Amino acid sequence: MTGTVTTLHPVIVPVSGRDRALRGREKVARLSQLARSALRRSCRISGLRLDCLPKDEDGVPLPVAGVYWSLSHKSEVVGGVAAPAPVGFDLETLRPINAGLMDRVADANEWRLVDGERSEKNFFRFWTAKEAVLKAEGKGFAGLPRCRIVRVVDAVRMVLAFDARRWPVDHFWFDDHVAAITSHRFTVDWRVA
């Protein structure tokens, strides 16, 4: 079944006000539950099957019978995607960012790819793209220095490199949020519940 998939279906779900009001472990557990529900919906739409969601000792999602998966959850939105190839998916809410964090996420050469425009929008575009690639590579933030933006194709597509491997990334903007997914050779059909 996985060889016939040509489209990725990342599913994004807004978090209800009631769930946003939760605190601590209860909130984390609820956001995780909602993200897993989005992943199940992605599986159904794609015709893929995940009977379990195993992780390695570092918490990196492991594929099941050739099906890869990625989740993201923030206080206001959660999401998930299933794919027949390594995949990374990230969500962020746009908010003010300080210059030091902008410098940490992208170097001068990367900022030049967007004409040096160091805006929150470009920061979160870079951040989500790199986070998606790090997830697809099975790396944490320690891998950030090895992840570089090498080309900005247009307002919703860019190409990154992790070491020598190239990763196309697609973005989706909605309300004051941005989502990113490693798209490989797939078409991306964004689904917002």
Side-chain angles (χ1 to χ4, degrees):
M1 174 66 75
T2 60
T4 62
V5 174
T6 60
T7 302
L8 299 180
H9 301 280
V11 174
I12 299 168
V13 178
V15 176
S16 72
R18 185 189 63 195
D19 289 332
R20 286 185 209 170
L22 297 172
R23 298 287 176 247
R25 290 183 182 159
E26 187 178 17
K27 183 172 188 172
V28 171
R30 180 63 179 148
L31 294 177
S32 178
Q33 181 183 44
L34 290 169
R36 288 168 183 258
S37 175
L39 175 62
R40 284 191 298 276
R41 185 168 175 204
S42 176
C43 285
R44 280 193 304 275
I45 295 166
S46 300
L48 298 173
R49 185 174 176 158
L50 281 168
D51 293 325
C52 59
L53 300 177
K55 295 181 181 182
D56 70 12
E57 61 277 355
D58 295 322
V60 175
L62 296 172
V64 177
V67 178
Y68 296 77
W69 55 282
S70 185
L71 302 172
S72 185
H73 42 79
K74 303 297 177 227
S75 290
E76 297 179 4
V77 292
V78 300
V81 66
V87 66
F89 172 71
D90 193 43
L91 291 165
E92 284 292 341
T93 302
L94 276 64
R95 59 189 181 279
I97 296 298
N98 68 46
L101 193 51
M102 286 191 182
D103 290 339
R104 184 167 179 233
V105 168
D107 66 22
N109 290 328
E110 291 170 302
W111 285 111
R112 276 194 276 281
L113 295 171
V114 289
D115 298 324
E117 185 186 330
R118 294 166 56 97
S119 64
E120 278 88 14
K121 184 174 181 178
N122 282 331
F123 169 83
F124 282 109
R125 188 170 181 209
F126 287 5
W127 177 265
T128 56
K130 288 186 176 191
E131 180 69 14
V133 169
L134 292 173
K135 287 179 177 183
E137 285 281 352
K139 306 293 180 193
F141 289 115
L144 188 62
R146 296 165 50 199
C147 189
R148 305 306 269 161
I149 297 158
V150 295
R151 187 165 72 112
V152 173
V153 177
D154 58 29
V156 294
R157 293 177 298 158
M158 60 177 48
V159 178
L160 284 77
F162 185 87
D163 295 338
R165 186 171 178 176
R166 298 291 171 129
W167 288 94
V169 172
D170 284 21
H171 282 94
F172 177 68
W173 301 91
F174 59 105
D175 302 325
D176 58 346
H177 307 286
V178 61
I181 189 169
T182 54
S183 53
H184 306 287
R185 64 196 175 277
F186 301 102
T187 302
V188 179
D189 177 21
W190 296 97
R191 304 287 181 111
V192 179

